[in-house]
Amino acid sequence: MRDGTALATSVWLPKSGSSFPTLLVRTPYGSEMMSIFAPPSPNIFRLMREGYAVVIQECRGTFKSDGIFVPHVHELDDGSDTLDWIVAQPWCDGNIGTYGSSYLGMVQWDMASTGHTALKAIAPSVAPADRYLSPWYSSGGAFSPGALVWGALMTLNKVGRELERGQGDPGAMVAMASMMLDISGLKTRVPLLDQPLLREHMPWLVDTALGHPERDAAWDSSISVESPAKIRTPALIIGGWYDLFIGETLRTYTELRLKGATADVRDGQYLVIGPWAHSMNGLLAMYPDRIFGPTATVEASGLHDAHISFFDHYLKGTSAKLDRPRVRLFVMGIDQWRDEVEWPLPDTIYTDFHLSGDGPANTASGAGTLSAGPSINEQKDSFLYDPRRPVPTLGGTGLALLEWDGAADQSPLHERDDVLVFKSEVLTEAIEVTGPVKCHLFVSSSAIDTDFTAKLVDVHPDGRAIILCDGIQRMRYRNSLTDPQFMVPGKIYEITIDMIGTANVFLPGHRVMVEISSSNFPRYDRNSNTGGVIAAEDESRMVAAVNTLHRGRQHPSRIVLPIISRT
Ligand code: BEZ
């Protein structure tokens, strides 16, 4: 690298031939990590048979590479230096592509944003371009404690590596290991900022990730992809409906289709989304409460062929027109793959479903309904949001790592008084909801800051209430992620909760359900309701808030669903 640091790099070459289009994988998880060799990654032996060289590099400060690992910070320069090195090798024909999931995808967005001319195509799967938006925070500004578990695992690796190299302190290893024995404790501890072990061994996690809850300049230095115009490569973008990074999967695709630097870049964006979550069970699309069937696994989804045809086109220039659908989605409910010409789908009819019902909507036995227009009578639903008694996360788009995420039943939450439940009648005809989902709410609070959450749920005839997508809005960030503004207690604010999106057919016999509350913990950190530095507060500082949803003609609180009608 430019500062003399050596990164361990292995080169896999086809048996015959002298120079090859080259695929680069950069990983902080070691060059022997299973997921480099298994779907969603393409099969490395088939890649070589197809005439590709493959280069696998261990990121700075990991495994056999020198230097110190700091999440995200060195990847742009190291990636760019590696592209320079590859293109100068006799076995590279001058055309480079990249692939890999998660962190291995994030580093691809870094490389793409350098504008390196040898980089002809990237294939990031389950990976964000903007690290604030995920994994660390979210579009509504709430922190994701699951990302801290990842940070702690990386710290454990770092401390272990130091010991192997005869440096470091065995006591630190014991302390880190015992901290990792209590994964859920790591996500739920308060104050979140009180992390002496992480602070000592990987200060970035505390000083930057936890220390900068606003999307300020500290994030600019570690987030390379600020503007889609910087990206000059076609991309095969792969994601999962229950993946932590689904928001970024959809955002990168849509931004680059609309605002990519050139017509070729805009034309070169392709999207594949399965019913997958970030965890291993998620790649099988098998969750305790919902199994999506044999075609839903990453293995069965044809991702290997998708990579080959994409790279053949952009690295070998083999066919005039790339012969693959622009968008391929797994549509839940009917549990089928479907090819589409665009995301959002061109025939989407965005339809308001008003949060209605004559009477309080607290709990599933309350009066909440979904209706085509707002209720004539104004209605208020109030609930006590106590951060010491938050609504527990059940599945969804977490980073469960060692627990379950994905398509989980929400019905165990339905008797809580702090969960507002709005449900349709039992459907007599199927309704397809495929596209971006947003919730517009009119809300007030007794506090100067609090959160509002929304979930879209498919209620099956047997009572399972399966989460499809969700979102959260931290009220101080309702206007801006950089310029927090507190509320006036009692004043009504109109907010939009970004619920990202889904593809689901609600079948006859099912109900459409929307849940509104103020916490979803530990998927998101709890708002302490004080207006203080949330990560610095413990339970003794937290206060309960009375939060209110306003609905009716004056306050048309509603979810906007992307409705698709196909014969
Ligand atoms: C991952 O590679 O899975 C990952 C990386 C950073 C934060 C969270 C997850």
Side-chain angles (χ1 to χ4, degrees), residues 29 72 101-104 106 135-136 146-147 150 244-245 278 399 401:
Y29 307 125
H72 316 307
S101 335
S102 212
Y103 199 93
L104 289 60
M106 302 183 202
W136 298 101
W150 173 84
L244 170 74
F245 300 119
H278 212 69
L399 183 63
L401 291 175

